[in-house]
């Protein structure tokens, strides 16, 4: 048996310990994302594989503690399961759902929002700020190492002694950041917080797109804001997000449209115009491509799944 296999089995065992802790804090609260008394820490719980979660997510660390999950980004699909983790470095439109979950053995996840300022402080202290010239993807999936899961367990255990949270939680979160910076995907983590990195410049333009995603945009203006040529900006944007700026804007529009129709009972035609589409038929085609069903059928399916 190799060292890596032994290490993975150790990590699986630690995830079983953490699953007990998370179950205790989510039992009886239903499916979904559950906030905790620790700032930036949330738990996920899903008892079936019917519900699709779609949102603009990042920067986050998400560890699968129990079960399996599928994440869709643009036209690509990624799978990860128990003892694996996802890090998202920039705001990305993600669709995800549990692929292994039952009421008796629900999907359980540990989610920590990452603070670029705190990451920057640790990068400075560890002198791990050498960057490659090329952009790296704004997300990655890796196998968790036992020290990272140990930190997650210690942070979760603090919920049983809330009087200790203010003093001890910041130190544990710093160690989590350190483990990520020392891990196999350290380059991507460093770029989250390093001033002037290609990822950070792309992240700033993403904020502009998100702020006014219903309006037409010009690549030249975004490139100028990022202090890049248009061709360089396009290349780095696609390397970080796996899609073009126009595809990114389109997915923001579709996610917002789904939210409006589900929460406000808006019809497809008015929603299409509200999020920036001029053609309802184009809206319906692109919606179906992203969510697997036309708007009306998709919203009906979601409502049935939440009953």
């Amino acid at each position: 048996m190799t060292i890596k296999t032994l290490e993975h089995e150790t990590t699986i065992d630690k995830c079983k310990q953490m699953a007990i802790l998370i179950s205790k804090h989510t039992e009886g609260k239903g499916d979904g994302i559950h906030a905790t008394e620790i700032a930036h820490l949330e738990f996920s719980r899903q008892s079936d594989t019917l519900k699709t979660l779609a949102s603009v997510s990042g920067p986050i660390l998400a560890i699968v503690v129990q079960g399996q999950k599928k994440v869709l980004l643009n036209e690509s699909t990624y799978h990860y399961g128990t003892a694996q983790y996802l890090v998202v470095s920039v705001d990305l439109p993600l669709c995800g759902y549990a692929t292994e979950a039952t009421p008796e053995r629900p999907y359980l996840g540990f989610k920590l929002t990452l603070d670029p300022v705190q990451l920057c402080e640790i990068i400075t202290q560890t002198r791990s700020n050498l960057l490659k010239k090329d952009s790296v993807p704004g997300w990655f999936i890796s196998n968790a190492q036992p020290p990272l899961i140990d930190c997650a367990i210690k942070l979760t255990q603090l919920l049983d002694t809330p009087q200790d949270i203010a003093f001890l939680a910041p130190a544990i979160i710093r160690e989590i950041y350190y483990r990520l910076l020392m891990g196999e995907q350290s380059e991507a983590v460093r770029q989250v917080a390093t001033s002037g990195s290609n990822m950070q410049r792309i992240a700033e333009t993403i904020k502009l797109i998100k702020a006014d995603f219903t309006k037409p945009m010009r690549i030249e203006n975004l490139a100028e804001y990022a202090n890049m040529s248009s061709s360089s900006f396009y290349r780095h944007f696609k390397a970080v997000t796996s899609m073009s700026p126009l595809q990114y804007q389109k997915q923001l529009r579709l996610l917002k449209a789904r939210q409006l129709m589900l929460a406000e009972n808006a019809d497809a035609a008015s929603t299409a115009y509200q999020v920036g589409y001029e053609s309802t038929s184009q809206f319906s085609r692109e919606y179906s491509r992203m969510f697997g069903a036309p708007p009306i059928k998709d919203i009906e399916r979601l409502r049935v799944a939440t009953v």
Side-chain angles (χ1 to χ4, degrees):
M1 186 177 291
T2 66
I3 293 176
K4 284 190 175 181
T5 302
L6 283 170
E7 186 176 71
H8 186 64
E9 289 185 357
T10 299
T11 309
I12 292 287
D13 289 339
K14 290 179 181 294
C15 282
K16 291 177 182 177
Q17 180 184 347
M18 190 156 66
I20 294 172
L21 295 171
I22 293 178
S23 291
K24 181 171 65 173
H25 292 287
T26 59
E27 192 92 46
K29 295 182 179 180
D31 290 348
I33 306 295
H34 302 285
T36 72
E37 293 184 48
I38 298 174
H40 307 307
L41 176 64
E42 298 175 328
F43 298 140
S44 304
R45 185 184 181 99
Q46 202 69 41
S47 60
D48 59 50
T49 59
L50 299 176
K51 301 180 184 68
T52 302
L53 302 174
S55 64
V56 179
S57 179
I60 61 163
L61 161 68
I63 304 173
V64 175
V65 176
Q66 181 170 280
Q68 301 279 336
K69 190 172 185 179
K70 178 189 289 186
V71 175
L72 292 84
L73 177 63
N74 198 18
E75 297 179 353
S76 299
T77 301
Y78 305 90
H79 299 264
Y80 67 120
T82 303
Q84 292 185 303
Y85 66 94
L86 166 73
V87 168
V88 180
S89 306
V90 298
D91 292 353
L92 293 174
L94 300 174
C95 292
Y97 57 91
T99 56
E100 182 183 298
T102 65
E104 296 76 25
R105 185 178 169 80
Y107 167 88
L108 297 173
F110 172 102
K111 178 183 173 184
L112 183 67
T113 300
L114 301 177
D115 179 2
V117 175
Q118 194 168 5
L119 268 172
C120 186
E121 292 174 359
I122 299 173
I123 288 169
T124 302
Q125 291 175 12
T126 58
R127 302 175 184 270
S128 57
N129 58 352
L130 295 177
L131 292 172
K132 297 177 182 176
K133 292 182 179 180
D134 293 333
S135 294
V136 295
W139 79 100
F140 62 84
I141 293 171
S142 288
N143 292 328
Q145 305 299 312
L148 179 63
I149 302 299
D150 284 335
C151 291
I153 289 172
K154 286 189 293 184
L155 193 62
T156 303
Q157 286 173 331
L158 283 182
L159 295 172
D160 293 328
T161 56
Q163 69 275 12
D164 298 332
I165 290 175
F167 188 81
L168 296 179
I172 299 172
I173 291 173
R174 283 180 62 83
E175 185 178 349
I176 289 175
Y177 288 1
Y178 175 80
R179 297 297 176 187
L180 292 175
L181 283 166
M182 296 298 108
E184 62 181 0
Q185 301 287 353
S186 59
E187 177 68 22
V189 179
R190 286 198 302 273
Q191 288 213 19
V192 177
T194 302
S195 177
S197 70
N198 291 324
M199 183 181 289
Q200 192 176 81
R201 287 193 281 173
I202 295 302
E204 291 300 317
T205 62
I206 284 174
K207 291 178 183 177
L208 286 185
I209 298 172
K210 288 176 61 183
D212 210 3
F213 64 86
T214 64
K215 303 289 174 54
M217 66 179 182
R218 290 178 58 82
I219 300 299
E220 296 83 359
N221 294 341
L222 294 173
E224 183 179 357
Y225 186 80
N227 196 26
M228 298 178 181
S229 67
S230 294
S231 59
S232 178
F233 170 74
Y234 187 91
R235 178 169 58 85
H236 287 299
F237 192 98
K238 195 161 188 178
V240 170
T241 67
S242 84
M243 64 191 86
S244 70
L246 289 174
Q247 287 174 317
Y248 188 97
Q249 182 191 50
K250 179 181 71 176
Q251 295 210 12
L252 289 181
R253 289 176 171 181
L254 294 173
L255 285 171
K256 182 62 176 179
R258 197 187 207 200
Q259 177 186 339
L260 289 171
M261 288 187 290
L262 187 60
E264 302 179 12
N265 203 27
D267 63 86
S270 63
T271 300
Y273 291 118
Q274 191 172 343
V275 299
Y277 277 87
E278 296 180 358
S279 165
T280 54
S281 59
Q282 181 185 1
F283 169 72
S284 184
R285 281 196 309 273
E286 293 182 351
Y287 190 102
S288 298
R289 193 176 300 124
M290 182 167 178
F291 296 116
I296 294 176
K297 288 187 178 180
D298 177 59
I299 297 302
E300 288 177 349
R301 181 177 60 186
L302 287 174
R303 286 182 177 143
V304 169
T306 55
V307 173

